[in-house]
Amino acid sequence: MNEPVFILKGNIIYSKDLTELAVCEHGYLVCRNGLAEGVYPTLPFKLGGNPIHDYGDCLIIPGLVDLHLHAPQYSFRGLGMDMELLEWLETNTFPEESKYKDIEYAKKAYTIFADNMRRSATTRACIFATIHRPATLLLMDLMEKAGLSTYVGKVNMDRNAPDHLREETQESAAETLEWIKDVLHRKYENTRPILTPRFTPSCTDELMEELKKLQMRYGLPLHSHLSENRSEVEWVKDLCPWAEFYGDAYDRFGLFGADCPTVMAHCVYSDDREIARMKENGVFVAHCPESNMNVSSGIAPVRKFLEDGLNVGLGSDVAAGSTENLFRAMAHAVQASKLRWRLMDENLAPLTVEEVFYMATKGGGGFFGQVGSFEPGYEFDALVLDDSGLSHPQPLDIRSRLERMIYLADERVIKAKYVKGREVDLS
Amino acid sequence: MNEPVFILKGNIIYSKDLTELAVCEHGYLVCRNGLAEGVYPTLPFKLGGNPIHDYGDCLIIPGLVDLHLHAPQYSFRGLGMDMELLEWLETNTFPEESKYKDIEYAKKAYTIFADNMRRSATTRACIFATIHRPATLLLMDLMEKAGLSTYVGKVNMDRNAPDHLREETQESAAETLEWIKDVLHRKYENTRPILTPRFTPSCTDELMEELKKLQMRYGLPLHSHLSENRSEVEWVKDLCPWAEFYGDAYDRFGLFGADCPTVMAHCVYSDDREIARMKENGVFVAHCPESNMNVSSGIAPVRKFLEDGLNVGLGSDVAAGSTENLFRAMAHAVQASKLRWRLMDENLAPLTVEEVFYMATKGGGGFFGQVGSFEPGYEFDALVLDDSGLSHPQPLDIRSRLERMIYLADERVIKAKYVKGREVDLS
């Protein structure tokens, strides 16, 4: 357990906004009761008596936020990606997810997942589990133990799934209620439940209505998929002919941000109406660039989202994304935006280092409250990065060293990690 | 020094051709006098007396071939990529490359480069140095010591470069001649010279003629850039109005494969005539997908190159590519091809795991001779990969474990590396 007040010393860098980084070289970052209190180039006299963790020439950045990933898919990361979304779900995903009915298999798989998440750059995450209540609770136990702050969801699916993964509508609602009660009973400190209808094609209107009842009763947020792939968008048109656009098929049930904090993954094919509704409702977009490459979805118009003032964060989307490493997600976001600019639309400029860093910290962090910055009052999530193993012959300023991390960092550079002011065991 | 005959035991996997992998689980790979002699599921009796290196459940694959990278740019890998090629050259590349006039700086920088190449998955590489003869020789000394088999080139530039990097035409030719003599004098075992005119915009016709003379006199191969970026292609049209297409501007001087083994990096904008000439002349294409994303060049039509029977390998293109890790280049090649298919041309199918693995081994290896396979008579370049750190709950077959490497491997998984039958020191 850390002290109520402690100080990290190092090269502190964080986003002020989308275009500007705050840099404090060899500065002091103060944590008080789990919150950031201030960043100082020299330590104020009144703070002198508190413990200082001197990280020398290391970089200190806010913890990274993964707005979208699938814990049960971690087992097949980097595998089976020679296909598009809907085929990929049938061929790889559903067969693997059905294994989590077996709690022993779930324990084996989720232990690997939780261990690797613990050692990763991620401090916050929105996580899909499977439809299985016991395995989902087990995952939540493991994430709580890992020390990250997460939203985890038992998945709902009552149509268009193989028999062994398809719930009856009332069963799905009842299991979700039981799961919520179980979670509340366990009194987790860092692990919260989130409603997780897989996506519109997997959930009947009746199930959506049931989920809305649970949402209102327990004030829960929601996590789902939106406009990822062309065939999926067409499918939703067929399934919900009454919806103005895909996102409207969630909104009709009150499950699209208006009165329920909502994160939607992908939004590759969101049209102007959908974007306007997301803006109006405060929906968070989880941009998952590697996934969108791997399952040939396309490239989301992130520049437009940013110009329109949407809430945008990054998602690894394991296992359509191959890695939980969010530095890689930042690099992929820049790269995808460049190809989009070059090949599709020269009006939407490529993303910058500043922008993707913002998205990976403060942008996605907003879904968790005051998270993703070192401004006073923000929850104290921090990463200490030792980049000395990445040798270079010339001097580099702090901003350049951060840029290099985006392209080159993996868990080896993480020297320490703090979540809400508590140090995470990286061993 | 390894014995004349030795045997590696493990899970052996290599490309037969573009579509098929040869797999020998818990098999024996025999090396005799630096060449692959055979792969056996059980060890033939007559080989029984030779030393066996048992790598247990590790994967054993051919060494990876990097057909294009810039050693002096390694210092700024992962930096300064918010711009396109020509601006990026002016802003980042030329100022850094000019530092290599200072042999002390070169020693510092190239030592880092050579050390990291030694520990990487790369066993063969075609490397750009700078215009500086002493620094280029130093780099060659270091690469020889590192134990890789490489082509290294002193760069030629006599126009469109800042003063401190622009040679006079005759000076460039004379320095290149001196450099070749120096190299021959040093009698390297694994390090060979390659003519390296930077690209057409950097080299006058007169310089090209001088280089052709040297090429004929010494029988040297050639390494350059081709059709990477739209502005560059337009520029070459202005500079060489007599050329039918960009590649023809090399071919007119006899520097495009017909009688001089040639590797050309990028080929993003190669048209049908250029592709036909590359095929006719046996030019090797170095496909550099990450670079083409990072400096917003576009996506090369690799599927077409393969369909037309061109020689295609992969390049990291450090530092427009951020990493020397060729596993990453394979993943980027698949990802870029998927976006090209989705966004540009649904007639050119995405690349498969088998195809990118072939390109990274046998495809690029062809530029070095019989390299990139374990078929009898191939030079013995091998990587032993310990993927046990990448945990998974389910059984995985050998082909799946290779696929995972493409997305997840870095130098941590490399347990041993052999070049021409000699083990490389990875410490």
Side-chain angles (χ1 to χ4, degrees), chain A residues 116-131:
Chain A
N116 287 3
M117 290 300 287
R118 181 169 53 77
R119 288 187 282 253
S120 76
T122 304
T123 50
R124 306 265 170 165
C126 291
I127 304 172
F128 264 63
T130 63
I131 61 167

Side-chain angles (χ1 to χ4, degrees), chain B residues 7-29:
Chain B
I7 297 152
L8 307 188
K9 186 165 187 290
N11 297 302
I12 301 156
I13 182 163
Y14 60 98
S15 292
K16 283 185 182 168
D17 53 37
L18 274 164
T19 58
E20 205 181 343
L21 294 167
V23 178
C24 186
E25 205 162 341
H26 295 299
Y28 299 83
L29 169 62

Side-chain angles (χ1 to χ4, degrees), chain B residues 65-298:
Chain B
V65 180
D66 193 337
L67 278 189
H68 181 65
L69 81 167
H70 296 258
Q73 298 175 16
Y74 193 70
S75 54
F76 63 88
R77 65 198 187 283
L79 286 174
M81 291 197 285
D82 288 342
M83 51 194 89
E84 281 190 81
L85 174 67
L86 301 178
E87 185 192 358
W88 176 84
L89 284 172
E90 292 288 341
T91 311
N92 293 322
T93 306
F94 291 158
E96 179 67 18
E97 289 195 10
S98 68
K99 295 184 194 168
Y100 291 75
K101 187 179 177 181
D102 171 3
I103 196 76
E104 287 307 315
Y105 185 81
K107 189 172 178 184
K108 200 169 158 188
Y110 281 154
T111 299
I112 294 169
F113 172 76
D115 267 355
N116 287 3
M117 290 300 286
R118 181 168 54 78
R119 288 188 282 253
S120 77
T122 304
T123 51
R124 306 267 169 165
C126 290
I127 304 173
F128 265 61
T130 62
I131 61 167
H132 311 96
R133 182 162 56 92
T136 303
L137 286 164
L138 172 71
L139 172 62
M140 296 177 87
D141 291 347
L142 291 167
M143 292 312 298
E144 179 76 7
K145 203 170 152 208
L148 275 66
S149 174
T150 61
Y151 284 111
V152 177
K154 175 214 160 320
V155 173
N156 299 99
M157 301 169 75
D158 73 339
R159 67 174 171 188
N160 296 315
D163 284 346
H164 51 274
L165 267 190
R166 192 178 59 241
E167 308 167 297
E168 294 304 319
T169 306
Q170 288 308 320
E171 171 205 4
S172 183
E175 281 290 292
T176 305
L177 174 61
E178 283 309 303
W179 166 68
I180 295 165
K181 286 181 179 171
D182 287 341
V183 171
L184 296 177
H185 189 70
R186 294 191 186 203
K187 301 188 193 311
Y188 296 122
E189 195 175 341
N190 282 316
T191 314
R192 287 172 279 182
I194 188 164
L195 290 173
T196 307
R198 179 166 219 120
F199 65 158
T200 296
S202 297
C203 300
T204 61
D205 297 355
E206 193 189 346
L207 179 56
M208 292 294 199
E209 284 166 4
E210 293 295 333
L211 293 179
K212 181 62 189 176
K213 287 181 203 161
L214 292 172
Q215 191 275 315
M216 288 194 297
R217 181 164 161 195
Y218 292 99
L220 294 181
L222 182 134
H223 182 195
S224 195
H225 296 95
L226 183 68
S227 299
E228 176 176 2
N229 167 290
R230 282 184 192 157
S231 311
E232 172 211 15
V233 172
E234 289 306 310
W235 197 11
V236 172
K237 275 186 198 162
D238 288 346
L239 291 166
C240 308
W242 42 264
E244 289 177 48
F245 47 86
Y246 189 164
D248 188 51
Y250 294 110
D251 208 15
R252 293 284 173 104
F253 300 103
L255 298 172
F256 199 62
D259 48 10
C260 136
T262 293
V263 59
M264 285 285 163
H266 306 304
C267 308
V268 174
Y269 294 99
S270 295
D271 62 14
D272 287 344
R273 294 170 307 170
E274 190 161 276
I275 292 171
R277 189 77 61 84
M278 289 196 283
K279 164 79 176 163
E280 195 182 323
N281 291 10
V283 169
F284 278 75
V285 175
H287 175 48
C288 306
E290 195 206 347
S291 162
N292 298 336
M293 293 185 193
N294 287 338
V295 290
S296 300
S297 299

